[in-house]
Amino acid sequence: MGKPKVVKQVPLRIRRTEDREKKGSHGSWRNAFCSRYSPLLKKTRQDAFDSLKKSLSGEGKTISCQAGCTYCCYHYVAVSFAQGIVIVDYLYKRKDLLKQFLDNYDKWRTDGEAIADEIDRIRIHALSSSKPTQQIMVETRPLSNRYLESNIRCPFLVDDKCSIYEVRPLACSGHHSVSPPENCAPASQQKPDIRNSVPNNENLVEIIRLAGSQAVLYELTLPVMVHRILTEGSTGIKAQIAHYGLA
């Protein structure tokens, strides 16, 4: 008989953080927030997608993205504090995915942490100093390109599928190819035709009203945000927002 499979446990620090996150008034707030914010993100995503499909139909084009196509899962992605809370709540209810993320995160840190830290530093400084969005893009684009060129795999990519697809960031669901999928490959000689599905103003206003402007504007690299909430709790991130004068 072979050796019994060892089931890896969720680290004690994360279990303790989860316990704190679910207790008291903060736990009640977090539960209510996720129950309202998650459906709103889903509606926002679907409305934007439907609007893009209608627009493409008028051009005689269709979206070519399909299951198993993972080119986008190697791009740099930032996520807001508000969306990070929802993703962590999703992981709390699916411990197998949580453990999978932690395993993949160790590998991701080796490949992507240095670039991510540099991008996050620029974004946080820019937000606290009210730097124009255009300037932020100019400063971070070379780093984002280097991230993609480094072939850094998203730690949520499991068996060529997004393990948090139901609550994936709006940044992930907002880009669609209308050209052959292989054009999205970094080595492709053909430039892909990428279209963005943009949330409508009504949904954006509702997102800000529910989450608060700072929770929407404060962003970190996706794996970093999720790991920090898992290890520090959402109150820890709130403290950092206050430290940078963003509260």
Side-chain angles (χ1 to χ4, degrees), residues 8 29 43 70 119 136 141-143 158 196 217 230 233:
K8 188 173 182 179
W29 169 84
K43 180 179 185 302
T70 62
I119 296 176
I136 299 174
R141 186 175 291 113
L143 293 167
V158 178
N196 297 330
L217 293 175
L230 284 171

Side-chain angles (χ1 to χ4, degrees), residues 4-247:
K5 184 177 180 180
V6 177
V7 178
K8 188 173 182 179
Q9 296 295 314
V10 174
L12 179 60
R13 180 184 182 185
I14 292 178
R15 283 183 277 145
R16 286 177 172 172
T17 301
E18 180 181 358
D19 287 341
R20 292 196 305 271
E21 286 285 283
K22 292 182 176 180
K23 288 182 179 178
S25 58
H26 178 73
S28 298
W29 169 84
R30 191 191 64 82
N31 186 60
F33 174 77
C34 290
S35 66
R36 289 179 292 170
Y37 198 67
S38 185
L40 176 58
L41 290 177
K42 183 176 181 180
K43 180 179 185 302
T44 299
R45 185 181 296 115
Q46 189 62 52
D47 287 350
F49 181 73
D50 290 344
S51 178
L52 176 62
K53 284 185 63 178
K54 183 177 180 180
S55 176
L56 290 175
S57 178
E59 300 179 34
K61 296 185 176 182
T62 58
I63 294 170
S64 59
C65 302
Q66 55 191 324
C69 178
T70 62
Y71 295 122
C72 288
C73 302
Y74 291 80
H75 282 263
Y76 173 83
V77 174
V79 69
S80 71
F81 174 49
Q83 290 185 61
I85 293 175
V86 169
I87 292 171
V88 168
D89 185 67
Y90 187 82
L91 295 178
Y92 280 157
K93 298 171 182 176
R94 297 162 179 81
K95 291 297 191 292
D96 57 330
L97 297 184
L98 193 159
K99 289 183 283 188
Q100 181 73 67
F101 166 73
L102 294 175
D103 286 345
N104 292 344
Y105 183 75
D106 288 339
K107 173 68 167 61
W108 176 86
R109 290 184 68 178
T110 300
D111 298 334
E113 186 175 48
I115 301 175
D117 282 351
E118 195 169 351
I119 296 176
D120 287 343
R121 178 184 57 79
I122 293 172
R123 295 172 69 95
I124 292 172
H125 175 72
L127 183 58
S128 61
S129 62
S130 300
K131 183 178 292 187
T133 301
Q134 186 62 34
Q135 184 60 35
I136 299 174
M137 293 175 63
V138 169
E139 293 182 19
T140 59
R141 186 175 291 113
L143 293 167
S144 297
N145 290 338
R146 178 149 61 91
Y147 187 99
L148 177 61
E149 292 166 358
S150 300
N151 198 40
I152 301 170
R153 183 184 181 93
C154 176
F156 287 112
L157 184 60
V158 178
D159 296 329
D160 289 336
K161 294 180 180 179
C162 176
S163 60
I164 57 167
Y165 190 80
E166 292 180 38
V167 291
R168 66 196 185 283
L170 291 177
C172 296
S173 63
H175 297 80
H176 306 274
S177 173
V178 297
S179 54
E182 58 269 20
N183 288 9
C184 294
S188 173
Q189 298 300 310
Q190 298 295 323
K191 186 176 181 180
D193 185 355
I194 304 297
R195 305 297 180 91
N196 297 330
S197 55
V198 182
N200 63 51
N201 290 338
E202 181 180 343
N203 285 337
L204 287 175
V205 168
E206 184 62 17
I207 283 174
I208 294 174
R209 185 197 66 77
L210 180 57
S213 60
Q214 301 309 330
V216 173
L217 293 175
Y218 184 82
E219 296 183 325
L220 293 173
T221 305
L222 171 60
V224 174
M225 177 70 82
V226 172
H227 192 264
R228 287 198 58 189
I229 296 176
L230 284 171
T231 54
E232 302 174 24
S234 53
T235 53
I237 306 299
K238 283 184 177 180
Q240 181 175 358
I241 293 175
H243 173 75
Y244 283 100
L246 303 175

